[in-house]
Amino acid sequence: MRKLFIAALAVGVALSMTGCKGTNEKRGDEHLKEGRFRNAINSYLDAKKKGSMSDEFYDNFTLALVRAAEMEAKKDLNSELLDNYYGKASVNMPEVKKDEVVEEYVTKLATLGKQQATQEGVDYNTVINAFAKIDTALATAQARHIGEGTVKAIRTEAENAYVSKNLADAVGESDPVVSEYQIMKLAEMAPENADVKAALNKSRKGTRGYFLIFGEQIGEPVNRRIDKWGYVMAFPTIKIAPGSLSGELQFWASTGNNTELDPSKITLVSTTGESVVAKASGGWCEAEVLVGKKGDEKIEKKKQAIKAGTKGKLMNEFQCSLNVSFSYGKDFVPDYVQYKDEFGIGKKYLGY
């Protein structure tokens, strides 16, 4: 009997610890019911510090955070408190039990992201963080199988609104390099938007012969999500025919390394991810050489030939040029040329 009594007592204590509400949690529930969300949050935090929480604690605490954030956003859409509220709410999510709480969290977080992304005159980092909120909401919705369709619809609305505000200006840029950068910013947020895809494809056709060195031209800090290729390439001459592509492929190294240019590392990648290796038939690389009479020498850039089957020297902030050709099947649609080594990677998108 004694053992049974002790076991029953232990179960009763455990239930009282997890099932009953302490004073702070009860006070938080009352504040939540009356719409005093910040007071509710403070009471719930006190309850958590004391370790006296019921089974409903995380559901109600999360509701208080989400609703406090909604009220704050109405006053200041860029308030620092918003990230604080949703940061705490996201930590709570594994403990949230009610589907309706999960749905409210993902819907309101995604809505906040849409509102922030479509503001007038916000910088690109704000847009990135805004879409990150929507994607966080979507990941939670998918993991819990709650509200996924709603969040996807909100993301589509945010993409369309963001694109409609900015695409015309991006396409209308007079400098083709600046224009492509601005379109790429849109594509980073709305990769499946049909208008953005069409604009980017058209731009890439027009910039085949350009080095896309954005930092020198765009007049704003370069975002590394966009300008991410260490090796920058251009096709000053290019010929695309059924089953083949050939031309003069030029390189500008901005990786910070002086390295070999190995033609065997040049590939052409299709729109479906297939790849073929280049055939190179010679070219040249720039190098610094001493010229002039002894005692009166000076350093100049000179082109040094690359013979077929050999490697060149790709010096930082210098150019190389190779005559390349690719052969492929009839269903192969060229998308980009890639060069990758231990120091970096470059991609030159061609448009199609």
Side-chain angles (χ1 to χ4, degrees):
M1 288 291 295
R2 180 177 174 80
K3 288 182 178 179
L4 288 173
F5 172 76
I6 292 172
L9 180 62
V11 170
V13 170
L15 288 172
S16 68
M17 290 177 67
T18 59
C20 296
K21 295 185 179 183
T23 301
N24 288 312
E25 186 177 351
K26 289 178 181 178
R27 189 177 294 121
D29 290 349
E30 184 64 25
H31 288 313
L32 175 62
K33 182 180 178 182
E34 298 299 324
R36 298 185 294 269
F37 303 124
R38 295 185 71 168
N39 290 339
I41 291 167
N42 290 332
S43 295
Y44 289 136
L45 288 172
D46 288 339
K48 191 174 182 181
K49 284 179 184 176
K50 293 187 176 181
S52 177
M53 297 105 73
S54 75
D55 292 341
E56 294 181 333
F57 174 80
Y58 285 103
D59 291 85
N60 291 335
F61 184 20
T62 300
L63 286 177
L65 290 162
V66 170
R67 291 172 184 177
E70 186 179 33
M71 287 185 65
E72 183 67 18
K74 290 177 181 178
K75 295 186 291 184
D76 180 1
L77 196 53
N78 299 299
S79 169
E80 292 181 1
L81 286 173
L82 298 174
D83 286 344
N84 185 35
Y85 288 143
Y86 275 111
K88 286 184 171 65
S90 68
V91 171
N92 289 350
M93 289 312 296
E95 307 299 330
V96 170
K97 295 178 172 59
K98 295 179 181 177
D99 288 356
E100 58 266 32
V101 177
V102 176
E103 186 162 16
E104 185 167 340
Y105 163 80
V106 299
T107 301
K108 289 184 176 177
L109 178 58
T111 299
L112 174 62
K114 182 182 78 170
Q115 292 171 334
Q116 290 180 332
T118 56
Q119 296 175 94
E120 294 289 346
V122 293
D123 62 76
Y124 193 55
N125 283 331
T126 298
V127 173
I128 290 172
N129 291 332
F131 274 97
K133 288 182 175 69
I134 304 175
D135 292 338
T136 296
L138 182 57
T140 302
Q142 290 171 332
R144 298 292 293 264
H145 306 292
I146 300 166
E148 182 178 348
T150 300
V151 177
K152 283 183 175 179
I154 291 170
R155 198 186 203 290
T156 299
E157 291 168 5
E159 290 177 9
N160 291 342
Y162 177 59
V163 170
S164 67
K165 280 178 178 289
N166 297 285
L167 184 58
D169 287 343
V171 172
E173 286 280 358
S174 58
D175 186 317
V177 174
V178 177
S179 178
E180 185 150 326
Y181 181 83
Q182 300 299 340
I183 299 169
M184 287 169 68
K185 285 168 61 176
L186 299 177
E188 191 69 15
M189 297 298 103
E192 298 305 317
N193 182 279
D195 292 335
V196 172
K197 291 171 78 170
L200 187 56
N201 188 54
K202 183 177 179 180
S203 176
R204 285 169 170 169
K205 283 184 176 181
T207 60
R208 288 171 177 172
Y210 288 77
F211 286 123
L212 298 178
I213 305 175
F214 300 121
E216 296 182 0
Q217 292 169 272
I218 62 172
E220 62 184 72
V222 174
N223 191 285
R224 296 306 302 169
R225 289 180 62 142
I226 312 301
D227 189 17
K228 53 193 171 186
W229 309 121
Y231 294 112
V232 184
M233 290 176 279
F235 268 106
T237 60
I238 186 171
K239 180 180 179 181
I240 301 177
S244 69
L245 184 153
S246 60
E248 180 190 5
L249 178 61
Q250 292 190 347
F251 290 77
W252 183 278
S254 55
T255 62
N257 295 289
N258 298 323
T259 183
E260 289 182 329
L261 174 60
D262 185 349
S264 69
K265 295 177 180 177
I266 304 170
T267 56
L268 177 65
V269 183
S270 76
T271 54
T272 57
E274 301 170 275
S275 63
V276 291
V277 178
K279 293 180 180 178
S281 57
W284 52 263
C285 279
E286 288 181 334
E288 289 184 334
V289 296
L290 280 173
V291 298
K293 295 181 180 179
K294 188 175 181 180
D296 193 28
E297 300 96 338
K298 60 181 179 179
I299 297 176
E300 289 185 356
K301 286 184 180 180
K302 292 286 187 180
K303 293 179 179 178
Q304 296 184 341
I306 305 172
K307 296 180 180 179
T310 64
K311 300 175 183 179
K313 285 289 185 182
L314 187 53
M315 310 297 285
N316 189 41
E317 306 300 340
F318 282 64
Q319 287 182 234
C320 284
S321 176
L322 286 172
N323 298 314
V324 296
S325 62
F326 304 89
S327 298
Y328 41 82
K330 63 178 182 178
D331 295 326
F332 188 105
V333 179
D335 190 10
Y336 61 88
V337 172
Q338 176 174 284
Y339 184 79
K340 182 178 181 181
D341 63 13
E342 65 270 30
F343 298 115
I345 183 172
K347 290 184 179 181
K348 180 62 180 178
Y349 286 89
L350 304 173
Y352 48 87

